[in-house]
Amino acid sequence: MDYNQLTTEQVNPRTVNIDLCSTEEIVRLINDEDKKVAEAVEAVLPQVAKAVDTITTRMQKGGRLFYIGAGTSGRLGVLDASECPPTFGTDPGLVVGIIAGGDVALRTGIEEIEDQADQGVADLHCHQIGPLDTVVGISASGSAAYVVGALREAKKIGAATIAISNSPHSHIAQEADIAILPIVGPEAIMGSTRMKAGTSQKMVLNMLSTATMIRCGKTYQNLMVDMIPSNRKLRDRSVRILMKATNLPREKAEEALNLSGNTKIALVMLLANCDADTAQQALSDSHGLARQAVDTILHSAGQSDGANL
């Protein structure tokens, strides 16, 4: 392919003299370029929303979410996936990041693997991808053979495929069911896609995982009620979450958390004034949706509708 035609490989006319600038001028030029990223992401929000609905529908049926990429793109996928268990209490196998070259490539550049389509296929098969899963291929240029190969294989298997790229004529977009293409323009330093392109990818990945978790009931209001309180800071956050959600004093929140050992169960206990077993059963029946669980308990008790709690 003609790499010279890629948007991510163009020279940025606004920064051609960046090496002659003062330090403050350099960082201002970079900042001016970064300001364009949010607008580029805003332009693809309909595609992001479509992707979230696709991921959510499959995940609710037992599917998983996989990110796959090389270099910066792969690292960002691994980062987003690794944050889901502590933030949303998910199983580590629910959202998985795959990077070309394996974990060693998180710290050491192994750029040549980007060109190996067969390796992308092999790495995908290591996780036994199935038709309920969703595979998100990430490549700033959209030309990484490793990602192209993985997306083609995922489609053959019947998995949903999503492409995230910063090139308007992306190869991976042609292989995907949904293409998310935030076009951020040439980088401040030609080809350094860890900059604007990487920032846009992180924003999109944050949206995909966060919005999917919200749709799957991992939050109540804007509170992380499925967060695992695994240290002192997070336990205190769980207590404060319960206090904010219920307007009850700390001692009540701590008591419910101690009895249940789980933030979301404690939340339902406090909002529906029930014991831990009742709260846990209601959450199970409502597929983890706290509002629905509370409403069910209150309705069965003949109390007011809890939908607005």
Side-chain angles (χ1 to χ4, degrees), residues 88-101:
F88 299 110
T90 60
D91 184 281
L94 185 66
V95 183
V96 178
I98 304 172
I99 180 171

Side-chain angles (χ1 to χ4, degrees), residues 200-214:
S200 73
Q201 291 172 9
K202 187 177 191 306
M203 291 174 70
V204 170
L205 292 171
N206 282 168
M207 290 179 186
L208 291 182
S209 58
T210 303
T212 296
M213 294 302 155
I214 292 170

Side-chain angles (χ1 to χ4, degrees), residues 11 50 79 95 110 269 292:
V11 172
K50 184 178 180 181
L79 172 63
V95 183
I110 311 177
M269 289 170 61
Q292 187 174 323

Side-chain angles (χ1 to χ4, degrees), residues 89-127:
T90 60
D91 184 281
L94 185 66
V95 183
V96 178
I98 304 172
I99 180 171
D103 286 354
V104 67
L106 293 172
R107 294 181 178 273
T108 304
I110 311 177
E111 305 301 328
E112 63 274 13
I113 296 182
E114 177 179 319
D115 297 331
Q116 300 176 15
D118 290 347
Q119 190 61 53
V121 173
D123 288 352
L124 209 60
H125 279 300
C126 286
H127 296 275

Side-chain angles (χ1 to χ4, degrees), residues 32-303:
D32 286 342
E33 292 302 307
D34 285 342
K35 291 174 184 177
K36 300 177 174 66
V37 176
E39 292 182 355
V41 172
E42 182 180 13
V44 298
L45 289 181
Q47 290 75 40
V48 176
K50 184 178 180 181
V52 169
D53 287 340
T54 296
I55 297 165
T56 301
T57 298
R58 288 168 173 262
M59 195 172 283
Q60 289 173 336
K61 296 177 181 177
R64 300 164 294 167
L65 171 61
F66 290 88
Y67 299 135
I68 187 162
T72 296
S73 298
R75 294 182 188 100
L76 289 170
V78 172
L79 172 63
D80 194 75
S82 67
E83 292 288 355
C84 287
T87 305
F88 299 110
T90 60
D91 184 281
L94 185 66
V95 183
V96 178
I98 304 172
I99 180 171
D103 286 354
V104 67
L106 293 172
R107 294 181 178 273
T108 304
I110 311 177
E111 305 301 328
E112 63 274 13
I113 296 182
E114 177 179 319
D115 297 331
Q116 300 176 15
D118 290 347
Q119 190 61 53
V121 173
D123 288 352
L124 209 60
H125 279 300
C126 286
H127 296 275
Q128 299 179 316
I129 303 297
L132 285 178
D133 295 328
T134 303
V135 177
V136 179
I138 316 164
S139 170
S141 69
S143 63
Y146 176 87
V147 181
V148 172
L151 286 177
R152 283 179 180 168
E153 187 66 14
K155 183 169 284 189
K156 289 179 184 177
I157 293 168
T161 52
I162 297 167
I164 301 175
S165 177
N166 304 99
S167 175
H169 306 294
S170 166
H171 281 197
I172 66 169
Q174 297 170 22
E175 303 293 338
D177 300 319
I178 301 170
I180 301 171
L181 308 176
I183 309 303
V184 296
E187 298 288 359
I189 303 300
M190 191 195 84
S192 183
T193 52
R194 69 188 181 87
M195 302 181 78
K196 289 191 297 184
T199 300
S200 73
Q201 291 172 9
K202 187 177 191 306
M203 291 174 70
V204 170
L205 292 171
N206 282 168
M207 290 179 186
L208 291 182
S209 58
T210 303
T212 296
M213 294 302 155
I214 292 170
R215 301 300 290 173
C216 288
K218 294 293 185 179
T219 62
Y220 174 81
Q221 298 174 352
N222 62 351
L223 304 172
M224 299 185 295
V225 293
D226 262 328
M227 178 195 70
I228 299 173
S230 55
N231 61 29
R232 285 184 295 178
K233 179 189 73 175
L234 296 179
R235 179 175 174 79
D236 183 73
R237 182 184 294 166
S238 291
V239 172
R240 288 184 287 109
I241 283 172
L242 293 172
M243 293 169 62
K244 290 178 182 294
T246 63
N247 292 318
L248 290 172
R250 174 174 285 270
E251 57 268 23
K252 290 289 186 182
E254 289 180 337
E255 179 184 11
L257 190 59
N258 288 335
L259 288 171
S260 64
N262 179 282
T263 308
K264 187 187 283 185
I265 293 174
L267 173 71
V268 175
M269 289 170 61
L270 293 170
L271 290 175
N273 192 26
C274 66
D275 59 33
D277 289 341
T278 300
Q280 187 169 11
Q281 184 60 54
L283 281 167
S284 178
D285 293 342
S286 66
H287 306 288
L289 298 172
R291 290 181 187 268
Q292 187 174 323
V294 172
D295 186 53
T296 298
I297 295 170
L298 293 181
H299 181 74
S300 65
Q303 298 181 38

